[in-house]
Amino acid sequence: MAEQQNQQSQKGAVRRFLQSIAVPLGAVALALLIGAIIIELSGASAWEAYVALAKGAFGSAEGWRRTLEKTTPLIFSGLAVAFAFKAGLFNIGAQGQLLFGAITAAWVGFAVHGLPPGLHAALALIAGTIAGGLFGAIPGALKTYTGAHEVITTIMLNYIAMGFTDYLANGPLKDRSPGNIIARTPEILPSAKLPTWGWLPFGFILAVLAAVFAWWVLQRTTLGFEIRTVGQNPHAARYAGMKVARTVILTMVISAAFAGIGGAVETQGVVGRYEPGFNANLGFDGITVALLGKTNPFGVIPAAMLLGAMRAGSNVMQFDAHVAQEITDVVQALMLFFVAADQIVRWLLRIRAEEGEKITLSTGWGSQ
Amino acid sequence: MSEETLALEVRNIVKRFPGVLANDHVNFTLRKGEVHALLGENGAGKTTLMNIIYGLYHPDEGEIYINGQKVTIDSPHDAIRLGIGMVHQHFMLVPVFTVAENLILGAEPTKGWTLDLKAAREAVIRLSEQYGLEVDPDAVVEDLPVGVQQRVEILKALYRDAKVLVLDEPTAVLTPQEVEELFVIMRQLKERGVSIIFITHKLKEVLAIADRITVMRRGRVVGTTTPSEVTEQDLATMMVGREVVLQVDKAPAKPGDVVLSVQDLEVEDERGLIAVDGVSLEVREGEILGVAGVQGNGQTELVEAITGLREIRSGKVVLGGHEAPDRNPRYLIEHGMAHIPEDRQKHGLVLSYPIADNLVLCTYYKPPFAKGLQRNEEAIEENAKRLVKEYDVRTPSIFTPARSLSGGNQQKVIVAREFSRPVKLLVANQPTRGLDVGSIEYIHKRIVEMRDQGAAVLLVSAELDEILSLADRIAVMYRGKIVAVVDADKVTRAQLGLLMAGSPAEDVLDKEAVPA
Ligand SMILES: Nc1ncnc2c1ncn2[C@@H]1O[C@H](COP(=O)(O)OP(=O)(O)OP(=O)(O)O)[C@@H](O)[C@H]1O
Ligand SMILES: [Mg+2]
């Protein structure tokens, strides 16, 4: 009898898991389908295009390396968005936080001399993480002390971050080496660089560890319990004696720290310096990743890999199947559209929303 | 009994939830123009049955007939089309909309491309007159008292032409006055041929208004009867399956030191108006101070101020001789306060959390529930298993989310949690709201036990019966002030009623009843 119940609850768990990934999978399938129609309409073969895309992303060790390299920053920014989500906060500011992380790591990477390789790299990573985190404290504090909604403040802070890092890369931290005319910092020292072992970038390992860390904090620590409680029911959190204001700020700091280390890893593992164009959209794409991953730290990894693979494979697709790379952007946008408008997918797949499973993108003003 | 007279009939309804048989071959009939009361323990399956009738749940087995016709109800939309209306245990109005806007929500009359709000207003006025339900169509819902909000819910059902009206625990949140008004409305609806299913835990109400009574227990119908055939005691026994002691027996209080002292407290409500107006009171170890009053006279704000949930404008709250250094509830909880909040879904529970997590909501950060930074899952589960058993929370598992518990069992989770710490001061606001008689008996017993172990108890209740049977002293609150404090054995029900209605204490009470 007890065993039967146990079996039943196991079956229930499997069913619940399948149900929970049905919407993201459905969204991906729909997006690919519409993408295919567009490709066909433009006169190319959708099948060939997708095969070439997959080949480009996973067909070789080189493809895998590129895929993982593109996946890595997306995992970090996806974690940033997903983590804040658990406290009911919508962090649109991952982009700005990532930029701060990236440029701080670049600065530590080129300006600090004489450290042994491992230590130097670690120092740069930590600096980037802290810079991102502190930048995230601002919207957190604004929310708790003035009631300003984090969606608005993080959007505005993104502009500040872009402007400020541009200024740094074009001014005080500019690469003054002869012949350089563009806005960028000097190259970081080899001791600050993150290695890539064959097809496996070190940064990817860090990203996976970060996901485990995020899960651990949320599910296994008392702080995570506070964060989730504030997100689920701030009234009950106050009733239970939790310090809601402190939790909101702390959540934003941790969330932003994920974005910050993401920027640092990109600088130290891929770009090798801070150069504005290279980080474009990595933070914004975190929103898509987080939603596709159902704001679950472990869901973020496959979601980021999907987007990463599309980026990594797109030029092979262009070369082999003569389909413009931009089609991947269209497909990605469609994915975001369908996870956000999940009712469409549910209707198509005939699945009912479980109570409390719906994702609320943004609560109204003064809802706390 | 010909088929013709049945407004609604369900046959052999079965509904299973994971690990629970919520409805077990339920048969139920509703005659035209009758008020049929549905009684049953917490978790007996009343709300589930109603949700099936209203199309929110699909039955696993069974049939539904309306006017003798077999029907399938897949959604509330279908139910409304078939003339079924439901007022839920928790209201479903849009707080920032006006009455008229709420009324038409989901069935908006239009004029060309625009909303025909004029038609909506007229409908409100027409229906109000027709059924004697007084409501201002332009009032914003969140500004209305609960009783009036409920009237809007009923109007909403009538606007959709409901012939069968389901009222799920409508009186749990009403003042005695509002309950009377609701009964007048129900009688009027009856006369106009509306059939009503009325769910409540209050046996007096059942005997006062019902034409027939059906009792459920553990998913099954135990029997159907009429008010003339039964007494309150009979009904209680039918529901719980054993004798229930409706009377609390307790020894005289032995008050000790002052635990809670409130001095000249002034507190504002949401709109910045004075809700608590210079209240002073004291609660001592080993006594129960009951705060009686019609709801909305500042009790909510008083309790929230005492428990640290609301800013105080002036005055002091002193616990165990010390004023709290900050107004965070944590300090109070750590110094021995337990709080059963008035609104269990807003403050008391995180509905999406498993029962086990809800049971450590206030103590999660302390050993044994925390080990360093981490949660100690084992201790949390251990605690949940023990409390669920001890408090007889009806649930398939300790991992069931609080949301899927029946209303009464949600309340038991809160009570279990708050009683599981060492308590010096218990602040209980409507502790038995929505509970069945068996659970009320149990919780009353525990409150008295707590008192006898030396806790100070501040009991706020809109139920005069509860105040009279539990309290050692009674403070009457009226318009934000404590208008009288009397010994419980020196005051009558009638006197309390007058005080609650605002009659001056000098006129109502004998001199010697008022303690110096
Ligand atoms: N959505 C759900 N998921 C899982 N179990 C549920 C759900 N809804 C109800 N139950 C279970 O079904 C049983 C019947 O619940 P129901 O809400 O119908 O009780 P009730 O008679 O209305 O009780 P109360 O008087 O406390 O409101 C309970 O054991 C409850 O835990
Ligand atoms: Mg119920």
Side-chain angles (χ1 to χ4, degrees), chain A residues 5 8 216 219-222 225-226 228-229 232-233 235-236 238-243 352 355-356, chain B residues 58 308-309 328-330 339 345-347 349-350 352-353 357 361 364 373-375 377 403 417-418:
Chain A
Q5 224 179 37
Q8 224 179 32
W216 176 78
Q219 297 302 326
R220 287 281 175 264
T221 68
T222 54
F225 188 66
E226 288 170 352
R228 288 184 293 129
T229 306
Q232 295 287 323
N233 184 349
H235 299 290
R238 249 173 72 72
Y239 160 88
M242 297 174 186
K243 298 199 168 66
R352 279 184 174 222
E355 273 240 58
Chain B
H58 294 256
L309 289 174
N328 192 306
R330 171 109 355 136
H339 175 200
Q345 303 212 334
K346 181 176 173 192
H347 288 117
L349 294 168
V350 181
S352 54
Y353 277 179
D357 282 355
L361 201 59
Y364 65 93
L373 292 174
Q374 296 208 61
R375 281 155 50 95
E377 308 291 338
R403 172 177 284 114
R417 174 184 69 216
E418 296 304 301

Side-chain angles (χ1 to χ4, degrees), chain B residues 111-129:
Chain B
K111 214 156 68 185
W113 288 94
T114 53
L115 266 187
D116 193 356
L117 264 179
K118 200 161 149 252
R121 293 191 60 242
E122 277 161 11
V124 177
I125 296 165
R126 180 171 47 81
L127 286 168
S128 321
E129 275 172 9

Side-chain angles (χ1 to χ4, degrees), chain A:
Chain A
M1 168 81 176
E3 194 169 305
Q4 197 187 342
Q5 224 179 37
N6 200 8
Q7 256 176 15
Q8 224 179 32
S9 75
Q10 257 173 20
K11 246 192 351 211
V14 171
R15 224 199 57 210
R16 265 200 306 281
F17 173 73
L18 288 179
Q19 255 191 7
S20 72
I21 61 169
V23 168
L25 286 183
V28 170
L30 271 178
L32 287 174
L33 185 74
I34 296 180
I37 294 173
I38 297 174
I39 295 171
E40 290 286 339
L41 285 179
S42 72
S45 155
W47 175 250
E48 270 177 35
Y50 285 161
V51 168
L53 189 68
K55 204 178 98 203
F58 302 113
S60 61
E62 170 62 14
W64 272 97
R65 185 189 59 74
R66 271 204 319 262
T67 298
L68 295 184
E69 212 171 82
K70 305 255 182 231
T71 301
T72 302
L74 294 176
I75 294 179
F76 283 115
S77 57
L79 285 176
V81 177
F83 193 88
F85 228 110
K86 294 296 177 195
L89 300 166
F90 201 10
N91 179 13
I92 314 258
Q95 182 67 36
Q97 295 145 13
L98 183 142
L99 293 182
F100 264 86
I103 201 163
T104 308
W107 175 63
V108 173
F110 76 75
V112 179
H113 292 262
L115 287 178
L119 195 62
H120 192 188
L123 189 70
L125 277 176
I126 292 170
T129 311
I130 293 176
L134 289 181
F135 196 58
I138 300 172
L142 284 174
K143 170 139 191 156
T144 37
Y145 297 118
T146 70
H149 202 285
E150 76 279 3
V151 168
I152 310 292
T153 53
T154 51
I155 288 176
M156 296 200 297
L157 284 165
N158 278 338
Y159 289 109
I160 293 176
M162 284 182 235
F164 188 63
T165 49
D166 273 357
Y167 156 75
L168 289 177
N170 217 355
L173 302 184
K174 187 169 180 171
D175 178 8
R176 301 281 172 200
S177 56
N180 177 45
I181 48 162
I182 58 173
R184 64 179 197 194
T185 65
E187 185 164 5
I188 58 173
L189 302 178
S191 57
K193 287 195 174 155
L194 298 175
T196 297
W197 299 307
W199 52 269
L200 182 64
F202 180 71
F204 181 74
I205 299 173
L206 282 181
V208 172
L209 288 178
V212 175
F213 177 74
W215 174 86
W216 176 78
V217 170
L218 287 170
Q219 297 302 326
R220 287 281 175 264
T221 68
T222 54
L223 172 66
F225 188 66
E226 288 170 352
I227 290 172
R228 288 184 293 129
T229 306
V230 166
Q232 295 287 323
N233 184 349
H235 299 290
R238 249 173 72 72
Y239 160 88
M242 297 174 186
K243 298 199 168 66
V244 176
R246 198 193 68 143
T247 308
V248 164
I249 296 178
L250 206 55
T251 307
M252 279 308 287
V253 169
I254 297 174
S255 156
F258 281 121
I261 190 173
V265 166
E266 188 69 359
T267 295
Q268 296 172 251
V270 181
V271 186
R273 53 158 52 94
Y274 181 83
E275 200 173 325
F278 273 85
N279 302 298
N281 279 336
L282 289 179
F284 293 119
D285 290 338
I287 298 169
T288 311
V289 169
L291 293 181
L292 262 184
K294 300 226 46 167
T295 70
N296 176 323
F298 291 133
V300 160
I301 297 176
M305 267 184 91
L306 180 69
L307 263 57
M310 292 202 312
R311 306 250 155 104
S314 64
N315 49 17
V316 174
M317 178 182 74
Q318 179 155 23
F319 195 80
D320 281 11
H322 309 289
V323 172
Q325 286 189 19
E326 282 70 23
I327 194 73
T328 57
D329 292 336
V330 174
V331 171
Q332 182 190 322
L334 286 167
M335 284 176 192
L336 178 59
F337 174 79
F338 285 121
V339 274
D342 64 339
Q343 283 305 326
I344 300 177
V345 181
R346 286 180 196 285
W347 177 72
L348 283 169
L349 297 178
R350 305 281 187 280
I351 31 181
R352 279 184 174 222
E354 297 249 331
E355 273 240 58
E357 195 214 11
K358 278 189 218 144
I359 290 176
T360 309
L361 287 188
S362 173
T363 50
W365 297 91
S367 58
Q368 289 235 345

